Amino acid sequence: MRLRSVILENFRAYRHRTVIPIEPNLTAFIGRNDAGKSTIFDALAIFFEHPAAKLDPSDLCVYSEKNPLVRIGCEFDPPEKIIVDSKDETNLSFEFLLN
């Protein structure tokens, strides 16, 4: 399964819904200091529940006005089929895992 994009909203400097595309061959994050490069990696660590990363109240964007919710999302290219065991094939749609 390939990561297609990262979606951030009200997370640190990303106040508005921001979709960061991840290209299939190579994606590089280049920018000046404090541009938000590390924030993307921190958001991915939180999303994938890395033991060293957790969402903190200070992660809420200081400029968020009415919406106190932090949103971190990932969009994936789903595989065509999933083999649960050697006899049963399924897919993400059949398992109600797509939105």
Side-chain angles (χ1 to χ4, degrees), residues 76-97:
F76 297 93
D77 279 335
E80 293 291 321
K81 63 181 177 179
I82 299 170
I83 299 174
V84 177
D85 61 38
S86 61
K87 298 176 185 172
D88 296 319
E89 287 185 5
T90 187
N91 61 44
L92 294 177
S93 180
F94 182 74
E95 299 296 328
F96 304 103
L97 295 173

Side-chain angles (χ1 to χ4, degrees), residues 55-90:
L55 193 60
D56 189 80
S58 65
D59 289 329
L60 178 66
C61 179
V62 296
Y63 300 109
S64 64
E65 296 169 358
K66 298 177 183 178
N67 188 1
L69 296 176
V70 171
R71 292 197 172 114
I72 300 171
C74 291
E75 183 182 15
F76 297 93
D77 279 335
E80 293 291 321
K81 63 181 177 179
I82 299 170
I83 299 174
V84 177
D85 61 38
S86 61
K87 298 176 185 172
D88 296 319
E89 287 185 5
T90 187

Side-chain angles (χ1 to χ4, degrees), residues 7-82:
I7 304 157
L8 302 176
E9 184 176 352
N10 280 330
F11 184 66
R12 298 184 186 166
Y14 293 92
R15 176 181 173 192
H16 301 289
R17 185 177 193 273
T18 304
V19 178
I20 301 138
I22 307 294
E23 297 299 324
N25 296 328
L26 174 69
T27 297
F29 295 103
I30 301 169
R32 60 177 174 70
N33 289 344
D34 285 341
K37 302 178 301 289
S38 296
T39 298
I40 297 167
F41 293 111
D42 291 342
L44 286 169
I46 291 168
F47 182 86
F48 288 110
E49 299 179 343
H50 188 278
K54 58 183 170 182
L55 193 60
D56 189 80
S58 65
D59 289 329
L60 178 66
C61 179
V62 296
Y63 300 109
S64 64
E65 296 169 358
K66 298 177 183 178
N67 188 1
L69 296 176
V70 171
R71 292 197 172 114
I72 300 171
C74 291
E75 183 182 15
F76 297 93
D77 279 335
E80 293 291 321
K81 63 181 177 179
I82 299 170

